[in-house]
Amino acid sequence: AYERTCRYFCRKTNSVVVCVGYRLAPEHPFPAQFEDCLTATIHFLRTAQEHGVDPSRVVICGDSSGGTLTAAVAQALVNRKDLPKLRAQILIYPFLQCVDLNLPSYQQNERVPILLKERTLVLGMKYVNMDLSIMEELFKGCHVSEDRRLKYQKWVSPDYIPHEFKTRGYKPSPTYLPSKEICEVAESMFDPVFSPLLAEDCVIAQLPETFLLTCEFDVLRDDGLLYKKRLEDHGIKVTWCHLQEGFHGTLFLALLGRVVGFRS
């Protein structure tokens, strides 16, 4: 599905492009996908010169869940002294956290194709092999223990979303008590491999220069805005592109040629 996209990047940027065919869930459970991407990245960093590539100029890139994997791989490599440092990471409307599923972008775009709010969570739950029957509790935040709520509120909060992104509508969500049982079931959702926005400060501070694309009509818009803030708070250079008329999947659909057309 992404061959056309990869060929386009290769042609337009005069780069060597490597596409990782990672194993898919649910047949291959989390974190097999991350492990495949990490293994491929490490291998390429070690053998870059064999492909005519300067190992100091390797950039990793992904969109949507591929953006999640890109962020997780970049984080996993920050302390590797045996490898060249990544030159940059490119995150295209990435999924980055499962703490708050009622951020302004989730409220405003819950019924916007192609990534509906409910579908986002269904995909995430299938990825970590969770029972879909507890979905409503996750939307209410019952999976976040008091300890976690205190820890993560400095990184994940609607307070950090600029006002101009709330003008299309936003109502603060009521706070529900956490459920011990659901907190235990949802444990893997707080792994930074699944939710890279939850990585510790010492990791975020070492990340490479970042290009971040967000779309106005996307439930994941605010994940990107929150990650942008965290990176910039630690002095990481971020190039941010916001598509005011964009929606989740814009990049992929844009390269389908004349099949579908839209301004962004």
Side-chain angles (χ1 to χ4, degrees):
Y2 274 79
E3 184 171 341
R4 180 190 287 258
T5 310
C6 292
R7 286 178 179 274
Y8 178 87
F9 283 150
C10 191
R11 200 166 59 241
K12 290 287 184 181
T13 63
N14 192 29
S15 305
V16 171
V17 173
V18 177
C19 184
V20 183
Y22 57 83
R23 292 168 291 169
L24 300 177
E27 295 81 4
H28 300 281
F30 169 86
Q33 300 69 24
F34 162 73
E35 288 165 355
D36 287 355
C37 291
L38 182 61
T39 300
T41 306
I42 290 170
H43 175 73
F44 189 74
L45 285 167
R46 284 180 174 151
T47 61
Q49 287 172 317
E50 294 172 24
H51 302 279
V53 172
D54 178 347
S56 70
R57 297 183 66 192
V58 175
V59 177
I60 58 173
C61 170
D63 77 321
S64 194
S65 55
T68 315
L69 291 164
T70 299
V73 168
Q75 291 179 5
L77 293 174
V78 295
N79 289 316
R80 292 290 296 257
K81 303 286 187 267
D82 57 324
L83 296 168
K85 291 287 185 194
L86 290 172
R87 173 65 186 85
Q89 61 175 345
I90 296 174
L91 309 177
I92 299 169
Y93 36 75
F95 170 93
L96 296 170
Q97 62 85 30
C98 208
V99 173
D100 189 342
L101 300 164
N102 290 293
L103 291 168
S105 61
Y106 269 102
Q107 292 187 18
Q108 294 162 5
N109 302 310
E110 63 179 333
R111 293 186 182 88
V112 175
I114 45 183
L115 191 64
L116 311 182
K117 175 176 173 174
E118 189 170 302
R119 179 165 169 74
T120 308
L121 192 52
V122 167
L123 291 171
M125 292 172 78
K126 284 185 173 180
Y127 181 35
V128 288
N129 201 21
M130 279 174 63
D131 189 331
L132 298 183
S133 66
I134 63 166
M135 195 184 319
E136 276 310 310
E137 280 76 11
L138 297 189
F139 280 133
K140 290 177 179 176
C142 300
H143 62 303
V144 189
S145 67
E146 289 297 343
D147 288 352
R148 284 206 161 111
R149 203 164 277 174
L150 282 170
K151 178 177 180 177
Y152 297 146
Q153 68 184 8
K154 62 182 184 285
W155 302 331
V156 184
S157 168
D159 296 345
Y160 301 137
I161 305 299
H163 176 72
E164 63 264 31
F165 294 102
K166 296 176 182 173
T167 54
R168 285 200 294 122
Y170 170 65
K171 282 200 300 196
S173 302
T175 303
Y176 294 90
L177 288 173
S179 155
K180 188 166 184 278
E181 182 187 334
I182 290 170
C183 289
E184 287 171 3
V185 171
E187 184 73 29
S188 54
M189 288 187 148
F190 300 101
D191 185 332
V193 169
F194 184 88
S195 295
L197 185 57
L198 307 183
E200 297 296 334
D201 287 336
C202 59
V203 173
I204 300 290
Q206 299 181 75
L207 287 169
E209 184 176 345
T210 301
F211 176 92
L212 180 64
L213 180 104
T214 55
C215 292
E216 179 61 29
F217 297 98
D218 180 8
V219 289
L220 302 182
R221 180 196 70 200
D222 293 350
D223 282 22
L225 296 178
L226 292 172
Y227 205 49
K228 173 179 178 284
K229 181 183 186 304
R230 280 206 76 193
L231 291 165
E232 290 176 338
D233 285 350
H234 286 280
I236 308 299
K237 184 181 178 188
V238 179
T239 303
W240 173 50
C241 174
H242 182 67
L243 297 182
Q244 196 57 48
E245 296 182 9
F247 52 89
H248 197 87
T250 289
L251 177 86
F252 180 69
L253 291 175
L255 295 173
L256 285 178
R258 294 188 181 87
V259 180
V260 60
F262 44 89
R263 276 183 63 177
S264 62

